[in-house]
Amino acid sequence: MQDLHDKRLVLGLSGGIACYKAADLVRRLIERGAQVDVVMTEAATRFITPVTMQALSGRPVFVDAWDSRVDNNMAHIQLSRGADAILIAPASADFMAKLVQGRADDLLSTLCLARACPLLVAPAMNREMWLAAPTQRNVQQLALDKVKILGPGSGEQACGETGDGRMLEPLEIIAELRRFFQPKHFERLRVLLTAGPTVEPIDPVRVLSNRSSGKTGYALAQAAWEAGAEVTLVSGPTALPCPYGVTRINVESAQQMHDAVMQNLNGQDIFISVAAVADWRIKNVSPEKIKKDGKTTPNIEFEANPDILANVATQKNAPWCVGFAAETENLSEFAHAKRLRKGIPMLIGNLAQHVMDADHTTVSIFDDRGEHALALNSKQKVAQQLVSEIAQRYQQSRTTR
């Protein structure tokens, strides 16, 4: 996934055992298409070598403020010019203090002071160092100085203790970078989504379900978080990992999904119903495994499941609702009818046989103005487009009230 293909990053390493994570971070940034220039403090070279970072980044690594490889001998100026961001990972307690004080006693600190681009730091230190009053004051000051703090994480530390202070994992840092660079269409909004299939029990070992992978819903949850939203994802059974930054609530049946949505509906600004919810459930669920005797077939009775989207849309002070429709034929006719039947402002539809289990999709948006088709793309790219389209219509609805 080349989701950082147009980004040029300066990755700074200060001294700390978390430098070992920087090697994997560089590799993953390169995989995503970023250009990475690595700058290291002298202390960082005690934990990982410049040779390693150069091999992984494919570019020269800078340590010395007097490095003559830059034509004008001003690496502290040239490296940040044209960069989209400087990321310090790991950022030690000492280096964060330097940033607050505006010190410039080595290449990396001078580069940060002379930068012409955003600065992000991923703290990495012992839990007591992180909780110390001076460090917390420095964190607050960095935030006031418009420095973006990534993390830290919590867990087991190299010293053997457990707590806050761990540097975020490389994929978590990349998720934070993606969010940092995305337009904040959903800034300060709360978004509730459903995703994945539901399963309806027949007996203790058998269920009825569908082929939904959950990929579109999970991509939308990630895109909504990247766009600045606080995201709650109510998910049916799927093997997909929860998107970073998203709160996931696991359910199985349609009734469980309905109940979870209703319990978390208060205060939500937008509800996006992506899940492939079973329309019916088994009325006469067997308490024991149904045995095959070779003579008769089970007598299975069905009853309707609650209509989650319709129920949400009719609530007092309901959030702005978006529905999904996966059809196998007559998409325009059925999608328009479903949107009107549910009483919602926007519905997204596609032909299930073309996108089921795939990593790419093509969808059409249905609203009061008609049908608007989006081009075939990865589900993540389509999700980002949909977030922009949803945000535009949501904001218009707020101004026309």
Side-chain angles (χ1 to χ4, degrees):
M1 181 186 295
Q2 296 282 297
D3 47 11
L4 295 173
H5 68 92
D6 59 342
K7 303 303 179 187
R8 182 185 158 218
L9 303 172
V10 176
L11 176 62
L13 281 65
S14 62
I17 187 59
C19 282
Y20 81 90
K21 294 183 182 180
D24 188 33
L25 176 59
V26 167
R27 181 177 66 87
R28 294 182 182 276
L29 289 170
I30 298 299
E31 286 176 350
R32 285 161 173 77
Q35 176 184 310
V36 183
D37 288 305
V38 177
V39 179
M40 304 174 66
T41 65
E42 192 278 331
T45 66
R46 303 295 183 96
F47 293 92
I48 192 168
T49 68
V51 173
T52 298
M53 302 309 294
Q54 181 168 329
L56 292 169
S57 68
R59 297 179 62 80
V61 173
F62 294 85
V63 178
D64 188 356
W66 310 108
D67 196 314
S68 61
R69 287 174 294 176
V70 176
D71 289 342
N72 61 7
N73 209 29
M74 295 184 184
H76 66 289
I77 301 295
Q78 296 303 112
L79 285 173
S80 71
R81 299 304 184 259
D84 292 288
I86 299 171
L87 167 64
I88 311 299
S92 66
D94 176 68
F95 195 80
M96 290 170 64
K98 281 187 178 184
L99 293 175
V100 169
Q101 297 163 10
R103 290 168 57 190
D105 57 3
D106 60 12
L107 176 57
L108 186 56
S109 58
T110 308
L111 174 69
C112 291
L113 193 60
R115 73 184 189 277
C117 62
L119 175 61
L120 303 89
V121 300
M125 64 198 72
N126 165 267
R127 66 185 183 92
E128 298 293 351
M129 297 173 70
W130 171 253
L131 294 173
T135 302
Q136 291 302 305
R137 286 198 300 271
N138 289 340
V139 169
Q140 294 174 14
Q141 185 58 53
L142 287 173
L144 291 173
D145 292 342
K146 310 300 184 189
V147 176
K148 178 69 174 176
I149 310 294
L150 309 182
S154 182
E156 186 177 349
Q157 300 179 336
C159 59
E161 297 180 349
T162 301
D164 294 340
R166 284 172 55 99
M167 188 174 96
L168 295 180
E169 299 303 316
L171 289 179
E172 293 175 330
I173 292 175
I174 287 174
E176 292 280 6
L177 280 173
R178 285 170 52 94
R179 188 186 206 202
F180 181 78
F181 287 125
Q182 286 297 322
K184 297 301 178 285
H185 299 302
F186 280 179
E187 189 72 70
R188 292 185 294 277
L189 294 181
R190 297 183 65 194
V191 176
L192 178 65
L193 295 98
T194 63
T198 60
V199 296
E200 305 298 330
I202 300 173
D203 63 23
V205 297
R206 298 182 179 92
V207 298
L208 289 178
S209 189
N210 58 64
R211 292 177 54 196
S212 171
S213 66
K215 290 179 180 178
T216 298
Y218 274 57
L220 264 169
Q222 179 180 328
W225 177 78
E226 290 175 356
E230 176 187 329
V231 181
T232 301
L233 172 64
V234 180
S235 174
T238 174
L240 297 173
C242 181
Y244 177 77
V246 170
T247 299
R248 182 173 67 182
I249 300 171
N250 294 321
V251 299
E252 293 189 350
S253 69
Q255 185 65 56
Q256 290 172 350
M257 182 171 284
H258 173 274
D259 294 345
V261 167
M262 292 303 173
Q263 290 166 8
N264 289 273
L265 196 60
N266 187 43
Q268 300 291 341
D269 297 293
I270 297 174
F271 174 61
I272 309 177
S273 179
V274 193
V277 183
D279 293 318
W280 303 279
R281 61 174 177 250
I282 310 303
K283 184 176 181 180
N284 56 333
V285 177
S286 173
E288 306 293 340
K289 180 182 176 182
I290 300 173
K291 298 297 184 181
K292 180 176 69 174
D293 60 14
K295 299 178 182 178
T296 61
T297 57
N299 179 27
I300 297 177
E301 300 177 27
F302 291 91
E303 62 182 349
N305 269 319
D307 189 324
I308 299 174
L309 179 56
N311 287 351
V312 170
T314 57
Q315 295 294 307
K316 183 179 180 181
N317 298 320
W320 201 81
C321 292
V322 180
F324 267 72
E327 304 291 348
T328 58
E329 60 181 347
N330 301 331
L331 175 61
S332 294
E333 176 187 349
F334 293 156
H336 276 300
K338 181 175 181 178
R339 187 183 75 84
L340 295 175
R341 187 172 66 252
K342 303 284 186 180
I344 57 176
M346 179 177 177
L347 185 137
I348 299 157
N350 58 19
L351 292 173
Q353 64 268 33
H354 294 166
V355 300
M356 195 71 74
D357 295 324
D359 291 325
H360 286 68
T361 190
T362 178
V363 302
S364 291
I365 296 171
F366 299 87
D367 59 18
D368 288 337
R369 294 174 291 174
E371 178 179 350
H372 322 273
L374 300 184
L376 177 68
N377 213 324
S378 70
K379 288 186 175 179
Q380 195 60 57
K381 288 292 186 183
V382 169
Q384 291 172 347
Q385 291 176 296
L386 288 175
V387 162
S388 176
E389 296 285 346
I390 292 169
Q392 179 183 2
R393 289 164 175 78
Y394 171 78
Q395 294 300 338
Q396 288 174 348
S397 74
R398 303 297 97 179
T399 57
T400 57
R401 275 188 165 185

